[in-house]
Amino acid sequence: MPSTKKKARSSAKKKSKANKMKGAEDSSSPSLSSRMQRMQVGGRCNGNHGLVMNEMAMACVPFVQKWLQGYNDAIDNVGNMEVSFKITQALTKEDAVWGSSESIDWLVSYFLMTATKQYLNGNIDMAGVDASYADFFNQHKAVVLDKTKPKIDWHEVVRIHNADKPTLAAFLRERIPCTCLD
Protein backbone atom coordinates (compact mmCIF):
# COMPACT_ATOMS: atom_id res chain seq x y z
CA MET A 1 0.00 0.00 0.00
CA PRO A 2 1.51 3.40 -0.93
CA SER A 3 2.63 5.69 1.85
CA THR A 4 0.83 8.95 2.64
CA LYS A 5 3.80 10.95 1.30
CA LYS A 6 3.65 9.10 -2.02
CA LYS A 7 -0.10 9.70 -2.27
CA ALA A 8 0.38 13.41 -1.56
CA ARG A 9 3.17 13.67 -4.15
CA SER A 10 1.08 11.83 -6.71
CA SER A 11 -1.89 14.08 -6.01
CA ALA A 12 0.29 17.20 -6.27
CA LYS A 13 1.73 15.99 -9.59
CA LYS A 14 -1.78 15.37 -10.95
CA LYS A 15 -2.92 18.84 -9.88
CA SER A 16 0.18 20.43 -11.40
CA LYS A 17 -0.37 18.56 -14.65
CA ALA A 18 -4.04 19.56 -14.71
CA ASN A 19 -3.11 23.22 -14.15
CA LYS A 20 -0.55 23.07 -16.95
CA MET A 21 -3.10 21.51 -19.28
CA LYS A 22 -5.68 24.16 -18.34
CA GLY A 23 -3.12 26.91 -19.03
CA ALA A 24 -2.25 25.33 -22.38
CA GLU A 25 -5.92 25.23 -23.32
CA ASP A 26 -6.39 28.85 -22.27
CA SER A 27 -3.46 30.12 -24.35
CA SER A 28 -4.49 28.23 -27.47
CA SER A 29 -8.21 28.92 -27.37
CA PRO A 30 -9.70 31.56 -29.63
CA SER A 31 -10.29 34.92 -28.08
CA LEU A 32 -13.82 36.12 -27.54
CA SER A 33 -13.13 39.19 -29.66
CA SER A 34 -11.93 37.00 -32.55
CA ARG A 35 -15.07 34.88 -32.40
CA MET A 36 -17.31 37.96 -32.18
CA GLN A 37 -15.49 39.59 -35.10
CA ARG A 38 -15.92 36.42 -37.16
CA MET A 39 -19.65 36.47 -36.52
CA GLN A 40 -19.89 40.19 -37.37
CA VAL A 41 -18.06 39.96 -40.70
CA GLY A 42 -19.75 36.69 -41.59
CA GLY A 43 -16.41 35.18 -42.54
CA ARG A 44 -15.90 37.65 -45.39
CA CYS A 45 -12.34 38.76 -45.92
CA ASN A 46 -10.65 41.56 -47.81
CA GLY A 47 -7.32 39.73 -47.84
CA ASN A 48 -6.09 41.26 -44.58
CA HIS A 49 -7.48 38.43 -42.43
CA GLY A 50 -8.68 40.85 -39.75
CA LEU A 51 -5.83 43.36 -39.83
CA VAL A 52 -7.03 46.96 -39.76
CA MET A 53 -4.74 49.60 -41.22
CA ASN A 54 -5.23 52.70 -39.06
CA GLU A 55 -3.24 55.27 -37.10
CA MET A 56 -1.92 52.48 -34.87
CA ALA A 57 -0.47 50.83 -37.96
CA MET A 58 1.45 53.95 -38.85
CA ALA A 59 3.08 53.89 -35.40
CA CYS A 60 3.78 50.14 -35.48
CA VAL A 61 5.10 49.60 -39.02
CA PRO A 62 8.58 51.06 -38.25
CA PHE A 63 8.71 48.84 -35.15
CA VAL A 64 7.85 45.76 -37.24
CA GLN A 65 10.70 46.56 -39.62
CA LYS A 66 13.13 47.03 -36.72
CA TRP A 67 11.85 43.86 -35.02
CA LEU A 68 12.24 41.71 -38.14
CA GLN A 69 15.73 43.02 -38.89
CA GLY A 70 16.83 42.55 -35.28
CA TYR A 71 15.38 39.06 -35.00
CA ASN A 72 16.87 37.91 -38.30
CA ASP A 73 20.32 39.22 -37.29
CA ALA A 74 20.03 37.60 -33.86
CA ILE A 75 18.87 34.21 -35.12
CA ASP A 76 21.66 34.19 -37.73
CA ASN A 77 24.27 34.92 -35.04
CA VAL A 78 22.89 32.98 -32.08
CA GLY A 79 20.77 30.23 -33.62
CA ASN A 80 18.53 29.98 -30.55
CA MET A 81 14.97 31.20 -30.91
CA GLU A 82 14.29 32.19 -27.29
CA VAL A 83 17.61 34.04 -26.99
CA SER A 84 16.98 35.75 -30.34
CA PHE A 85 13.57 36.95 -29.16
CA LYS A 86 15.13 38.34 -25.97
CA ILE A 87 17.98 40.05 -27.86
CA THR A 88 15.51 41.64 -30.28
CA GLN A 89 13.29 42.73 -27.41
CA ALA A 90 16.29 44.39 -25.74
CA LEU A 91 17.25 46.14 -29.00
CA THR A 92 13.74 47.58 -29.33
CA LYS A 93 13.02 48.19 -25.62
CA GLU A 94 12.83 51.97 -26.06
CA ASP A 95 9.90 51.72 -28.45
CA ALA A 96 6.59 52.83 -26.94
CA VAL A 97 4.98 49.80 -28.58
CA TRP A 98 5.99 47.58 -25.65
CA GLY A 99 3.87 49.54 -23.18
CA SER A 100 0.73 49.85 -25.28
CA SER A 101 -1.97 47.17 -25.31
CA GLU A 102 -3.37 48.62 -28.52
CA SER A 103 0.03 48.44 -30.21
CA ILE A 104 0.60 44.86 -29.09
CA ASP A 105 -2.89 43.90 -30.29
CA TRP A 106 -2.07 45.42 -33.69
CA LEU A 107 1.23 43.52 -33.84
CA VAL A 108 -0.52 40.24 -33.03
CA SER A 109 -3.08 40.97 -35.75
CA TYR A 110 -0.34 41.91 -38.22
CA PHE A 111 1.65 38.72 -37.65
CA LEU A 112 -1.52 36.58 -37.79
CA MET A 113 -2.30 38.21 -41.14
CA THR A 114 1.19 37.57 -42.54
CA ALA A 115 1.18 34.00 -41.18
CA THR A 116 -2.19 33.36 -42.83
CA LYS A 117 -0.98 34.76 -46.16
CA GLN A 118 2.18 32.62 -45.96
CA TYR A 119 0.08 29.57 -45.13
CA LEU A 120 -2.32 30.16 -48.03
CA ASN A 121 0.67 30.58 -50.37
CA GLY A 122 2.02 27.20 -49.25
CA ASN A 123 4.99 28.58 -47.31
CA ILE A 124 4.31 26.68 -44.10
CA ASP A 125 7.74 27.30 -42.54
CA MET A 126 7.42 31.08 -42.83
CA ALA A 127 3.81 30.89 -41.65
CA GLY A 128 5.09 29.15 -38.50
CA VAL A 129 7.68 31.89 -37.94
CA ASP A 130 5.10 34.67 -38.27
CA ALA A 131 2.58 32.77 -36.11
CA SER A 132 5.25 32.38 -33.41
CA TYR A 133 5.77 36.17 -33.45
CA ALA A 134 2.02 36.63 -32.94
CA ASP A 135 2.04 34.13 -30.08
CA PHE A 136 5.08 35.81 -28.47
CA PHE A 137 3.52 39.29 -28.60
CA ASN A 138 0.21 37.96 -27.31
CA GLN A 139 1.96 36.26 -24.40
CA HIS A 140 4.05 39.39 -23.74
CA LYS A 141 0.83 41.36 -23.35
CA ALA A 142 -0.62 38.74 -20.98
CA VAL A 143 2.53 38.70 -18.83
CA VAL A 144 3.64 42.34 -18.79
CA LEU A 145 0.58 44.47 -19.51
CA ASP A 146 -2.45 42.42 -18.41
CA LYS A 147 -0.58 40.42 -15.75
CA THR A 148 -2.76 37.37 -16.41
CA LYS A 149 0.17 34.97 -16.90
CA PRO A 150 3.28 34.56 -14.76
CA LYS A 151 5.72 34.18 -17.67
CA ILE A 152 6.03 33.53 -21.39
CA ASP A 153 5.64 29.87 -22.29
CA TRP A 154 8.61 29.45 -24.63
CA HIS A 155 7.67 25.85 -25.34
CA GLU A 156 4.39 27.13 -26.83
CA VAL A 157 6.18 29.73 -28.97
CA VAL A 158 8.56 27.07 -30.27
CA ARG A 159 5.67 24.61 -30.79
CA ILE A 160 3.88 27.13 -33.00
CA HIS A 161 7.12 27.99 -34.83
CA ASN A 162 7.69 24.33 -35.68
CA ALA A 163 4.03 23.35 -36.13
CA ASP A 164 2.94 21.00 -38.87
CA LYS A 165 0.35 22.13 -41.41
CA PRO A 166 -2.81 20.97 -39.55
CA THR A 167 -1.64 22.37 -36.20
CA LEU A 168 -0.72 25.69 -37.75
CA ALA A 169 -4.05 25.89 -39.59
CA ALA A 170 -5.92 25.27 -36.34
CA PHE A 171 -3.86 27.90 -34.49
CA LEU A 172 -4.51 30.53 -37.16
CA ARG A 173 -8.15 29.59 -37.76
CA GLU A 174 -8.94 30.18 -34.09
CA ARG A 175 -7.41 33.64 -34.16
CA ILE A 176 -8.46 35.26 -37.44
CA PRO A 177 -11.98 36.60 -37.95
CA CYS A 178 -12.37 35.40 -41.54
CA THR A 179 -13.05 31.89 -42.83
CA CYS A 180 -10.14 31.78 -45.27
CA LEU A 181 -8.66 28.71 -43.57
CA ASP A 182 -11.94 26.82 -43.12
Side-chain angles (χ1 to χ4, degrees), residues 71 75 79-83 85 125 128-129 131-133 135-136 139 152-164 167-168 171:
Y71 181 80
I75 198 74
N80 178 293
M81 198 167 114
E82 180 179 347
V83 173
F85 271 91
D125 290 341
V129 171
S132 71
Y133 294 155
D135 189 51
F136 166 76
Q139 287 194 55
I152 290 177
D153 180 354
W154 290 104
H155 295 290
E156 178 64 12
V157 176
V158 171
R159 184 183 77 82
I160 296 306
H161 182 275
N162 297 326
D164 61 7
T167 302
L168 191 55
F171 175 86

Side-chain angles (χ1 to χ4, degrees), residues 59 63 66-67 87-100:
F63 174 85
K66 193 185 316 182
W67 172 266
I87 288 170
T88 309
Q89 189 173 9
L91 289 172
T92 59
K93 71 180 177 186
E94 300 302 320
D95 281 277
V97 167
W98 290 110
S100 165

Side-chain angles (χ1 to χ4, degrees), residues 13-118:
K13 282 182 181 178
K14 286 178 185 175
K15 285 180 185 175
S16 175
K17 187 174 183 179
N19 286 339
K20 284 181 183 175
M21 292 302 289
K22 182 178 183 251
E25 291 168 6
D26 291 345
S27 68
S28 65
S29 65
S31 70
L32 178 60
S33 62
S34 176
R35 289 182 293 191
M36 293 297 291
Q37 196 176 20
R38 183 177 282 214
M39 288 173 18
Q40 289 170 348
V41 299
R44 287 173 273 127
C45 184
N46 62 2
N48 284 339
H49 311 292
L51 179 71
V52 176
M53 294 302 285
N54 55 19
E55 299 83 35
M56 187 60 60
M58 296 306 121
C60 292
V61 167
F63 174 85
V64 168
Q65 293 167 339
K66 193 185 316 182
W67 172 266
L68 292 173
Q69 183 63 52
Y71 181 80
N72 288 333
D73 291 347
I75 198 74
D76 287 346
N77 291 324
V78 178
N80 178 293
M81 198 167 114
E82 180 179 347
V83 173
S84 297
F85 271 91
K86 290 177 179 178
I87 288 170
T88 309
Q89 189 173 9
L91 289 172
T92 59
K93 71 180 177 186
E94 300 302 320
D95 281 277
V97 167
W98 290 110
S100 165
S101 289
E102 295 81 15
S103 295
I104 298 296
D105 288 342
W106 189 88
L107 290 170
V108 170
S109 181
Y110 172 80
F111 284 115
L112 289 173
M113 182 263 307
T114 59
T116 302
K117 285 185 176 189
Q118 294 285 2

